[in-house]
């Protein structure tokens, strides 16, 4: 999948689930539950040993979902997530070595930025789409709006502290292409296999997006 297509998928989904998964056997059912609720992008964070297997399972078995690898922090992980079937990558920060590795892998990358200096490094590397993280702790919508002044070429996916109470504040900003969050993929529901609850929460999140973006 080329970068333009992957970006279009992120924009149309609007609300990206940030998934921490303990048991890879839950991954496919989780992805199906999210798709049923209108969320067709799944970010699997590399925070647990089961993450790579879960990512691969979603990429292979749920073609309707865009498989995204999250928390990619080393160059070695770039090829690993590509081999697992990831179609896009998200990181909590910016690294020149990870940037180079993901260019070689040919994957869309959203590096994490929180400050003007972070944005300068990203722009210098030719990156114009980034994860604004941790969004609330970094100043929330006012900070993101301020960054758009010196960096009008950049678009953002704010993640970190985003939920139903403030999703509209972020989506109201034209430089925001989507938001990321974990509130609609709670760990207890995943562990219990409560896919009905996941689907309901996903639908609620999608409806909140639609209220702002249509």
């Amino acid at each position: 999948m080329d970068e333009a297509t992957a970006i279009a998928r992120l924009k149309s989904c609007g609300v990206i689930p940030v998934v921490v998964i303990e048991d890879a056997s839950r991954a496919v059912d989780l992805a199906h539950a999210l798709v049923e609720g209108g969320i067709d992008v799944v970010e699997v964070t590399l925070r647990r040993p089961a993450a790579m297997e879960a990512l691969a399972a979603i990429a292979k078995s749920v073609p309707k979902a865009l498989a995204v690898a999250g928390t990619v922090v080393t160059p070695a992980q770039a090829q690993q997530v590509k081999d697992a079937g990831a179609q896009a990558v998200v990181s909590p920060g910016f690294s020149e070595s990870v940037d180079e590795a993901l260019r070689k892998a040919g994957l869309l990358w959203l590096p994490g930025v929180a400050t003007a200096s972070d944005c300068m490094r990203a722009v210098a590397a030719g990156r114009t789409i980034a994860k604004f993280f941790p969004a609330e702790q970094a100043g929330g919508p006012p900070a993101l709006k301020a960054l758009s002044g010196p960096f009008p070429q950049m678009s953002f996916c704010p993640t970190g502290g985003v939920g139903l109470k403030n999703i509209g504040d972020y989506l109201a900003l034209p430089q925001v292409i989507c938001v990321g969050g974990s509130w609609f993929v709670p760990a207890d529901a995943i562990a219990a296999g409560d896919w009905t609850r996941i689907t309901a929460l996903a639908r609620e999140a999608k409806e909140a997006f639609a209220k702002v973006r249509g």
Side-chain angles (χ1 to χ4, degrees):
M1 179 179 294
D2 60 58
E3 287 198 2
T5 302
I7 292 169
R9 289 287 299 274
L10 294 176
K11 288 181 177 179
S12 65
C13 182
V15 189
I16 313 305
V18 180
V19 176
V20 178
I21 194 160
E22 304 285 353
D23 182 354
S25 68
R26 301 285 191 185
V28 170
D29 287 337
L30 169 62
H32 280 306
L34 288 166
V35 170
E36 180 68 21
I39 302 295
D40 62 356
V41 175
V42 183
E43 178 189 334
V44 179
T45 66
L46 303 188
R47 301 181 189 178
R48 298 291 187 272
M52 203 68 72
E53 183 182 350
L55 177 68
I58 292 170
K60 179 181 179 180
S61 301
V62 193
K64 290 184 178 180
L66 182 77
V68 178
T71 322
V72 172
V73 297
T74 69
Q77 289 174 326
Q79 188 61 47
Q80 291 168 359
V81 298
K82 182 177 182 179
D83 291 343
Q87 294 163 301
V89 174
V90 180
S91 297
F94 183 89
S95 160
E96 282 77 9
S97 60
V98 173
D99 174 66
E100 181 180 357
L102 285 165
R103 288 186 190 281
K104 290 180 179 178
L107 293 172
L108 172 68
W109 184 41
L110 277 67
V113 300
T115 67
S117 294
D118 294 339
C119 291
M120 286 179 66
R121 291 175 68 198
V123 169
R127 299 290 182 177
T128 57
I129 299 178
K131 170 182 179 175
F132 181 58
F133 176 82
E136 282 293 283
Q137 294 87 339
L144 195 50
K145 185 176 181 179
L147 286 173
S148 69
F151 304 103
Q153 70 273 59
M154 292 198 71
S155 299
F156 301 92
C157 174
T159 306
V162 179
L164 288 176
K165 291 182 179 180
N166 58 8
I167 185 175
D169 297 331
Y170 285 101
L171 291 172
L173 301 176
Q175 64 269 37
V176 170
I177 62 168
C178 58
V179 302
S182 58
W183 80 90
F184 55 107
V185 281
D188 60 339
I190 296 173
D194 191 349
W195 310 127
T196 299
R197 181 184 172 198
I198 294 287
T199 294
L201 290 170
R203 187 171 290 119
E204 183 181 44
K206 187 70 175 186
E207 289 172 353
F209 167 76
K211 285 181 180 179
V212 182
R213 294 288 174 93

